[in-house]
Amino acid sequence: MSNVFYNFTYDGTFEGLLCVLLRCISTRVIPKNIQPDYILSSKLEFEQYTHIVTNESLAHKLYDYIGKFADVQVQQMVRDCFLTSLPNKEVDIYMLVRQALWRGNSVGDDFSNDSLRRIQMAIRDLYRESQSIPYDINFSHFINTDISIINPRNIVLPVMMDSVLRNTAMEDFLLYDRRHKLALLRRRDNDYIVDTSRIAVKTEINHDYVYNSLWKHFINEGNIRRIRPLHVCGRLTDNPTMLWDIAK
């Protein structure tokens, strides 16, 4: 049970991860492992982790603090790294934030840092993939909706969302990322990115399933909600709270 002090779980959102980072920094704990709670397969495994409850207010304060104290580019790296497929990215993000709060914006120029190099390479891969995938998207008309399914390495939907919406004239469509269980939806004049990770999804995904299980769930049953953690704006406060005050 000693691992519980070094292993942490969160709800899988960016803001949830920021709350884990704040807990570790304020208690001076270097995490061994940080995992989204929904990937833990058993009660015994879950008991080896400390679960951190998401507090959106604290998360936004920490995000603002990173941008003000370090640099908006470092702040952007933190968000972008969260969207990558980098193994153990949560711990690498912790190391980046820890270094940024200690050294300021110079951390972004430290090319001798192995963790930073991994993050930079992963972010390059994220943007390369987000630029290439829109050219390969093929929508199929299904009942009254256009459906397409992708399987990207990285969480590309938040990055390429504006490009897809700008170049898509369809009134109703659903673009589903089956690897990360995210869906980009357009319903008339409203656009959403929704998280489907809490919905029971079968292994074999096809257009019929996406329409009947996802489109109907979110549109016909009115269960739409925005994924705000993937769109943290990072507005900088004029007078940022000091870190030890944020942690209270």
Side-chain angles (χ1 to χ4, degrees):
M1 293 298 291
S2 60
N3 288 339
V4 74
F5 298 109
Y6 304 97
N7 295 338
F8 298 89
T9 66
Y10 66 108
D11 63 3
T13 67
F14 182 51
E15 290 173 337
L17 175 59
L18 290 175
C19 289
V20 175
L21 304 187
L22 183 57
R23 167 69 71 86
C24 293
I25 291 169
S26 63
T27 58
R28 299 185 180 183
V29 168
I30 298 177
K32 180 180 178 181
N33 198 4
I34 305 172
Q35 296 286 348
D37 57 13
Y38 55 79
I39 74 169
L40 302 180
S41 58
S42 67
K43 181 179 179 181
L44 179 61
E45 187 178 12
F46 193 84
E47 289 175 348
Q48 297 299 312
Y49 287 77
T50 296
H51 180 70
I52 304 300
V53 176
T54 299
N55 183 315
E56 292 188 5
S57 176
L58 288 179
H60 281 270
K61 285 181 180 179
L62 176 58
Y63 193 70
D64 287 349
Y65 188 84
I66 294 168
K68 194 70 173 182
F69 184 81
D71 187 276
V72 292
Q73 292 181 336
V74 175
Q75 188 188 51
Q76 183 71 26
M77 285 179 65
V78 171
R79 174 198 176 272
D80 286 346
C81 185
F82 179 75
L83 301 178
T84 71
S85 58
L86 183 66
N88 301 317
K89 64 185 177 184
E90 291 90 350
V91 174
D92 274 330
I93 292 173
Y94 164 80
M95 297 304 296
L96 172 62
V97 170
R98 184 168 175 260
Q99 289 290 315
L101 296 179
W102 175 39
R103 298 170 52 188
N105 60 6
S106 64
V107 67
D109 301 322
D110 185 2
F111 298 104
S112 65
N113 187 306
D114 291 338
S115 178
L116 182 61
R117 284 204 303 272
R118 284 195 298 272
I119 289 173
Q120 290 172 329
M121 293 296 291
I123 291 174
R124 290 193 191 105
D125 184 60
L126 166 71
Y127 279 92
R128 278 195 297 265
E129 189 175 30
S130 67
Q131 291 169 358
S132 64
I133 282 184
Y135 294 101
D136 299 323
I137 296 174
N138 294 308
F139 284 96
S140 298
H141 195 69
F142 190 85
I143 308 180
N144 297 317
T145 306
D146 291 283
I147 304 289
S148 185
I149 301 171
I150 59 175
N151 190 40
R153 293 185 306 277
N154 301 289
I155 306 174
V156 296
L157 283 185
V159 180
M160 67 185 211
M161 176 180 178
D162 289 341
S163 175
V164 172
L165 296 176
R166 186 169 55 249
N167 295 296
T168 302
M170 294 174 290
E171 182 175 329
D172 293 339
F173 74 83
L174 190 156
L175 175 59
Y176 183 62
D177 174 355
R178 63 183 173 189
R179 184 187 299 270
H180 305 101
K181 300 181 180 180
L182 291 175
L184 173 58
L185 295 165
R186 169 175 285 171
R187 175 60 169 168
R188 297 192 178 93
D189 296 327
N190 297 310
D191 304 313
Y192 309 91
I193 288 183
V194 295
D195 182 5
T196 71
S197 62
R198 306 289 174 172
I199 301 174
V201 177
K202 66 179 183 179
T203 304
E204 193 171 331
I205 302 295
N206 54 40
H207 292 76
D208 178 83
Y209 174 81
V210 169
Y211 179 83
N212 286 298
S213 294
L214 299 181
W215 180 265
K216 285 186 176 180
H217 174 79
F218 288 110
I219 299 299
N220 294 359
E221 298 177 20
N223 292 316
I224 282 288
R225 71 180 181 88
R226 291 187 181 276
I227 304 293
R228 286 176 296 170
L230 296 181
H231 297 282
V232 173
C233 59
R235 290 190 299 272
L236 302 182
T237 55
D238 294 329
N239 298 296
T241 305
M242 300 305 290
L243 189 61
W244 47 85
D245 291 329
I246 292 175
K248 287 181 179 178

